[in-house]
Amino acid sequence: MTTAAAAPTLAPAEHAAMQRALALAATEGISPGPNPRVGCVLLAPDGATLAEGLHRGAGTPHAEVAALAAARAAVGPGTLRGATAVVTLEPCAHTGRTGPCAEALLDAGIARVVYAQADPNPAATGGAARLRAAGADVVGPACPDEARALNPVWTRAMELGRPYVTWKVAASLDGRTAAADGTSRWITSAVARRDTHRLRGAVDTVLVGTGTLLADDPALTVRDADGAHGPQPLRAVMGRRDLPPSTRLAAPGPDGAPAVHLRTRDPRAALADLWERERRHVLLEGGATLAAAFWRAGLVDEVVAYVAPVLLGTGPAAVGDLGITTITGAARLDVTDVAVLEPDPDDLAPPGAARSGAAATNLRLTLTPRKES
């Protein structure tokens, strides 16, 4: 039996600086894209704060470089000799859109580096070893769980070497996504549909199959209650059939970006293509056949299910054939969150009018596939 290594002891000033770095990394309104959220605080040898920085997105300076630039502007480069860098992620050791942070810290004369989480990106890891080899005092990982909580999807995607996949499904209480005649608008409530746009806004890719494209002609855009558009995920279609020019995905999105057509039926090939496009979080929105293909391939990491208080009896099921023939082989999931989505006052019908599905109370269940031992 193995036990987790004890977290290193930090000086009070370093502990406070780490909490500040974590807060910087969590700054609202920052969209780091394919990169993680990272914060950095620089401390003088006496523990006083010299400067701080955070990463604001792909192509912008990493948190360490931003903090170094702020320190040079505020107190001059000479004061960085012998300083400590407190950062939420192990400094990178590779050259991408920007140079390696480990080298930037060494060039500035940083003598000690405290980092919260080891870098799980195989292309970027090695910064701690490079710093130690150059004579810097390196401490970490100091608080990996807190740092991982900043970037749970990015961290898991790096560990998997593919995008993290969330399967979103909206269904009746008996697991139907449409009625027997094919009508499906609207099974879930207006507030549930608005919550779906919140979910889309939290990922970088929304993926459907060509079957869903032809049946529903989805837009796959992020819209708020007023219909306004915000930052948009990549819209992607998977399948071999051509996209009819009349469909909404054949036209540019509200951000001017075209949809991507992944001409494959292989979920692993689709994810590999999206990974090369620096996509780290895929929202799987349709339909039953595509969901079953990803599930059977073991490529569903999370399920978000919107359940409406509706019974249909017949109609398309939420997921296709999973190859399960007996209850002992059932695919089991663990519930990680349950939310009751109450209707907004604007969704309620006036007195005496019939109550519509838009005004129903729905459940949102967040689940993860159970890893059988």
Side-chain angles (χ1 to χ4, degrees), residues 163-164 166 199-200 202-207 220 232-237 260 262 274 277-285:
Y164 184 91
T166 296
L199 187 60
R200 286 180 185 171
V203 305
D204 58 31
T205 307
V206 181
L207 176 63
L220 304 185
Q232 298 296 313
L234 175 71
R235 301 171 304 147
V237 185
V260 170
L262 308 173
L274 292 170
R277 297 172 188 267
E278 295 191 318
R279 300 293 152 167
R280 303 298 180 242
H281 192 180
V282 173
L283 181 63
L284 198 65
E285 285 217 21

Side-chain angles (χ1 to χ4, degrees), residues 18 20-22 24-26 37-41 53-55 63-64 86-89 150:
M18 181 62 77
R20 174 57 182 164
L22 290 166
L24 285 169
R37 292 176 172 270
V38 183
C40 178
V41 175
L54 70 155
H55 180 53
E64 300 96 318
V86 179
V87 62
T88 59
L89 184 68
L150 282 171

Side-chain angles (χ1 to χ4, degrees), residues 45-58:
D46 64 359
T49 298
L50 293 172
E52 56 188 36
L54 70 155
H55 180 53
R56 297 182 178 274

Side-chain angles (χ1 to χ4, degrees), residues 130-182:
R130 172 69 186 101
L131 289 162
R132 288 191 182 98
D137 183 18
V138 181
V139 178
C143 49
D145 292 340
E146 287 182 81
R148 187 187 182 101
L150 282 171
N151 302 291
V153 170
W154 177 85
T155 299
R156 187 59 183 144
M158 288 299 149
E159 293 169 347
L160 293 168
R162 62 162 175 82
Y164 184 91
V165 176
T166 296
W167 169 34
K168 185 230 89 178
V169 60
S172 64
L173 189 61
D174 52 347
R176 306 293 174 175
T177 58
D181 64 357

